[in-house]
Amino acid sequence: MSAILDIQDVTVEYSTGGTIVRALDGASLAVRAGETVGLVGESGSGKSTLGSLVGRLLPGNASYPEGRVLVDGHDVLQLGVKELRTLRREQLGFIPQDPISALDPTMRIGRQLELALRGLPNDRAALVGHLERVRMREPERVLRLFPHEISGGMAQRIVIAMTMARSPRILIADEPTAALDSNVRSEVTKLVFGLARDAGTTVLWLSHDLRSVGRWCERVAVMYAGRVVEDGPAEQVLGSPTHPYTVALAAADPAGVQPGERIETSSVDVATLAESFRDDERAAKRRAKTRKTDAESADDPEPAPEEEVVAR
Amino acid sequence: MRLLHWLPGRLLSAIVVLLGASILIFAAVRSLPGDFAQIVLGPLSNEEQREQLRQSFGFDRSLPEQYLLWLGNAARGDFGLSLASQQPVLDELASRLPVTALLAGMAMLVTIAIGIPLGVYAGTHASTGRGSAAARIVSTIGISFPEFVLGCLVVFLFSRFDLGLSVGAFTSPTTDFGRGVVSLLLPALVLSVFCVAATARTTRDAVIGVLVEPHIAASVARGEPKGFIIRHHVLRNALIPVLTLTATITAYLLGGAVIVERVFNVPGIGSYLVLALDRRDYTVIQAGVLLATAVFVIASLLIDVLTGLVDPRVSVAKKGRGA
């Protein structure tokens, strides 16, 4: 069985005010249907870019000079507007980080749900059914509320209901619990993985939270400086990491230390060990620069691997 | 239902505004240079005659007394007699109100029908450049062209050349509505130019602002078509600043009507007020300006209610303050 999602050596660049920032630098990831993959890495490592890329949802200043993204055999980066829309609608599902701002502030929940479910049965009973699926209490009442009248956890359940209503083949969840209170985090996580399992949906779970990734994902892919640097079964990647960055990441996991113990981020170690990486990075920058007219920014500071991984 | 929480307070403040305005209007009118008795009786009248006239109109009493008398009558719907024509002010204004109302209404209609679609188009095509630049130039010209210049230009062009519409030939909408509309077409268009430009600009900016919101990105991610997203999610959200602008436009239409009616010789409330000012017809000026103030206050109130209906967060904020 071939991969339902096949990201092949993709490069993504953002142009901002004359400078080009490379967000993905030859990232590759192949996911088989039904897999649950946790994508971890520090802020700026390219997780979100990779997630959005699956639906070609990057902002207008992004370009894709190299690589291919195949979703069920369709080359996402080459699709026409209509086909892309159909793909997003029928095959993909996205769950954003901040659920409240993902809802239209001027529209009642019921109406938004009704619009999102266009083409499916969307009468009152169906809407209530969808809210019950995400274990919403008092669904009838919630349908009449506006987004500013509900909590973040409720909003995330609604977004999940909207997304899972079409039983997408691939679900991309970009830190879906980061904006939530810690007591609803595990509930929401459990909900998403439960619904995905029932629908046979492949999950790409972008997260900082190694513990939940280890608990819910079969496979873990680690991103660093725009690439997937380590990829394998969860217990292997998190238990006995091989890439220096993953080693540091796993060591810095607050779950593994005693209260009061100092978390070792070993950023210096990572910086030196990742030297080979930086050389590649420089080469890539030089390649990118040939397209730019000004070679002035040749001494750009390298994105230093800082101790982003902080205990929360 | 939320409306009930803040509407009473809002109504009360509207009444306070009207009271304050009435004091200002009264004081301003009475401090105009030129004596009414002098103007009516002419330079050959003697002091005794003038005194008699002042007494018959109550101008010999103290100003606060005059004000309270006027306010008491006005509250009962009696705005007195026009000093110049000796006709009840209310009748004089009522006979001219339909003309001005139609003029302002037509201008508002043109503003909404052209300004909002133009703004939405410019806003949704902002990244493509060409359409957006054209819209910006058009709106800048529209905003900066004074209506008396534009009005005079139109009057000149349409009276010098045969362009299908005539200026100066006025038909009252109360006698023949269709011809009334036709005769007000040019003044209404001139009056609406600024409003169209301002509305298009505000709508464009609002649309651009809404398009970058995360809930629009979420709709795109759900695979919704562009037209669907604009219809269901962009328009409603972008409407809020446009509604606020409508209050300003109402005020502009009231003021602009005075100038445009004068330029096109339309017998509405605007031109009547200018005439009353020339004649120091205190009662007419007071009633006319108070009427304009009332229209503005009521329009603002309506727009607040509408904004509350479009954006539920607004009425909640007001409720919070009131409770």
Side-chain angles (χ1 to χ4, degrees):
Chain A
M1 180 70 201
S2 66
I4 188 167
L5 171 64
D6 195 359
I7 299 168
Q8 302 173 347
D9 210 19
V10 170
T11 300
V12 170
E13 288 171 346
Y14 295 111
S15 65
T16 44
T19 47
I20 292 175
V21 178
R22 188 165 275 214
L24 288 185
D25 189 16
S28 296
L29 184 69
V31 182
R32 277 175 290 110
E35 263 189 310
T36 49
V37 179
L39 196 59
V40 300
E42 65 193 32
S43 304
S45 62
K47 292 196 305 285
S48 292
T49 301
L50 192 73
S52 306
L53 186 69
V54 177
R56 209 165 98 199
L57 291 166
L58 299 176
N61 63 343
S63 61
Y64 332 94
E66 286 160 47
R68 293 203 301 171
V69 176
L70 301 178
V71 171
D72 203 17
H74 302 284
D75 190 343
V76 175
L77 303 184
Q78 304 300 326
L79 282 182
V81 178
K82 265 221 170 101
E83 290 79 21
L84 183 62
R85 222 172 258 156
T86 313
L87 184 87
R88 286 171 181 163
R89 195 175 169 74
E90 288 168 6
Q91 313 253 24
L92 303 175
F94 289 86
I95 301 179
Q97 184 170 345
D98 181 5
I100 289 193
S101 69
L103 297 171
D104 186 333
T106 61
M107 211 180 264
R108 289 181 202 277
I109 304 298
R111 176 74 181 135
Q112 306 200 30
L113 210 53
E114 198 183 313
L115 285 177
L117 300 185
R118 222 160 27 113
L120 301 172
N122 59 359
D123 54 275
R124 212 74 186 164
L127 299 187
V128 169
H130 280 294
L131 289 191
E132 278 169 350
R133 258 180 91 204
V134 292
R135 305 210 180 81
M136 181 76 79
R137 279 183 287 272
E138 302 180 74
E140 287 278 4
R141 188 180 70 89
V142 171
L143 286 177
R144 289 192 303 272
L145 297 176
F146 285 100
H148 67 269
E149 296 170 323
I150 61 176
S151 71
M154 288 163 86
Q156 194 59 292
R157 280 168 205 270
I158 288 157
V159 171
I160 291 166
M162 278 182 183
T163 310
M164 293 309 290
R166 288 183 196 279
S167 305
R169 303 203 55 196
I170 305 175
L171 177 71
I172 293 114
D174 191 351
E175 308 201 36
T177 58
L180 304 182
D181 289 341
S182 55
N183 54 339
V184 291
R185 267 185 207 173
S186 60
E187 269 179 67
V188 167
T189 311
K190 196 171 149 192
L191 182 67
V192 172
F193 280 98
L195 290 174
R197 195 187 48 232
D198 294 348
T201 301
T202 310
V203 180
L204 195 57
W205 184 264
L206 282 53
S207 182
H208 276 303
D209 183 357
L210 292 186
R211 194 153 44 142
S212 79
V213 166
R215 181 155 164 220
W216 293 102
C217 300
E218 304 159 357
R219 205 175 126 193
V220 171
V222 181
M223 288 201 71
Y224 179 75
R227 305 183 177 188
V228 177
V229 292
E230 188 158 9
D231 179 8
E235 61 270 32
Q236 184 194 315
V237 173
L238 298 177
S240 49
T242 52
H243 190 276
Y245 174 67
T246 322
V247 175
L249 198 63
D253 182 7
V257 293
Q258 294 297 313
E261 192 183 325
R262 194 182 175 84
I263 292 173
E264 205 55 66
T265 58
S266 35
S267 58
V268 182
D269 237 357
V270 176
T272 36
L273 284 167
E275 196 54 47
S276 60
F277 224 79
R278 289 147 146 260
D279 289 341
D280 286 3
E281 178 87 345
R282 288 202 187 91
K285 280 218 164 163
R286 270 193 293 279
R287 262 186 284 135
K289 217 154 285 159
T290 52
R291 270 190 298 279
K292 286 195 289 176
T293 41
D294 63 324
E296 174 228 29
S297 51
D299 295 321
D300 264 358
E302 297 297 328
E306 285 300 331
E307 51 270 58
E308 278 284 342
V309 206
V310 183
R312 289 201 194 155
Chain B
M1 303 326 100
R2 286 188 199 89
L3 219 61
L4 296 177
H5 288 273
W6 60 269
L7 198 60
R10 194 66 184 70
L11 276 174
L12 198 72
S13 76
I15 291 169
V16 171
V17 166
L18 274 180
L19 268 180
S22 73
I23 294 175
L24 276 179
I25 293 163
F26 195 86
V29 168
R30 292 313 156 100
S31 57
L32 282 176
D35 177 19
F36 161 74
Q38 184 95 49
I39 291 169
V40 170
L41 297 177
L44 296 176
S45 58
N46 59 35
E47 185 51 41
E48 197 184 325
Q49 290 168 315
R50 289 200 288 263
E51 194 50 47
Q52 202 183 350
L53 188 75
R54 285 194 199 104
Q55 252 174 30
S56 70
F57 280 103
F59 291 144
D60 54 335
R61 306 193 199 186
S62 75
L63 272 182
E65 212 178 332
Q66 286 184 42
Y67 170 73
L68 288 176
L69 208 63
W70 172 68
L71 190 69
N73 288 332
R76 286 195 297 271
D78 178 9
F79 287 90
L81 299 180
S82 157
L83 304 185
S85 70
Q86 301 293 319
Q87 298 293 314
V89 172
L90 212 55
D91 294 353
E92 298 253 313
L93 286 177
S95 71
R96 288 165 170 87
L97 187 64
V99 180
T100 302
L102 183 64
L103 176 66
M106 284 167 68
M108 190 61 111
L109 209 66
V110 172
T111 301
I112 292 167
I114 298 178
I116 292 181
L118 206 65
V120 171
Y121 178 84
T124 50
H125 293 77
S127 53
T128 55
R130 218 159 15 118
S132 160
R136 225 174 25 240
I137 292 168
V138 168
S139 66
T140 306
I141 293 174
I143 286 172
S144 45
F145 228 103
E147 72 273 15
F148 60 89
V149 175
L150 199 63
C152 293
L153 202 67
V154 168
V155 168
F156 168 72
L157 287 176
F158 278 80
S159 46
R160 178 74 182 75
F161 306 102
D162 187 15
L163 296 173
L165 286 167
S166 57
V167 287
F170 176 76
T171 313
S172 170
T174 44
T175 53
D176 184 342
F177 188 76
R179 292 178 59 140
V181 167
V182 172
S183 66
L184 282 176
L185 212 52
L186 285 177
L189 283 175
V190 167
L191 194 55
S192 67
V193 165
F194 170 85
C195 305
V196 166
T199 305
R201 171 68 69 85
T202 304
T203 308
R204 171 186 173 271
D205 294 349
V207 166
I208 290 174
V210 172
L211 281 177
V212 299
E213 279 181 19
H215 68 91
I216 299 298
S219 305
V220 173
R222 281 199 297 271
E224 308 284 23
K226 193 173 178 185
F228 178 88
I229 295 175
I230 291 171
R231 264 201 319 282
H232 289 287
H233 296 297
V234 176
L235 285 186
R236 201 183 166 89
N237 279 283
L239 199 60
I240 297 151
V242 178
L243 270 176
T244 313
L245 177 78
T246 315
T248 317
I249 284 182
T250 310
Y252 174 84
L253 286 179
L254 291 169
V258 173
I259 294 163
V260 169
E261 282 180 11
R262 189 76 167 162
V263 169
F264 283 89
N265 202 16
V266 173
I269 287 184
S271 51
Y272 184 52
L273 275 183
V274 176
L275 185 69
L277 267 172
D278 287 344
R279 298 203 285 214
R280 298 291 181 274
D281 201 340
Y282 296 155
T283 49
V284 173
I285 303 168
Q286 281 162 195
V289 179
L290 195 65
L291 177 72
T293 314
V295 168
F296 180 62
V297 167
I298 291 168
S300 310
L301 195 62
L302 272 177
I303 285 157
D304 276 2
V305 171
L306 275 178
T307 309
L309 290 179
V310 170
D311 188 350
R313 292 166 297 180
V314 173
S315 48
V316 164
K318 295 219 162 135
K319 183 178 86 177
R321 202 176 53 192

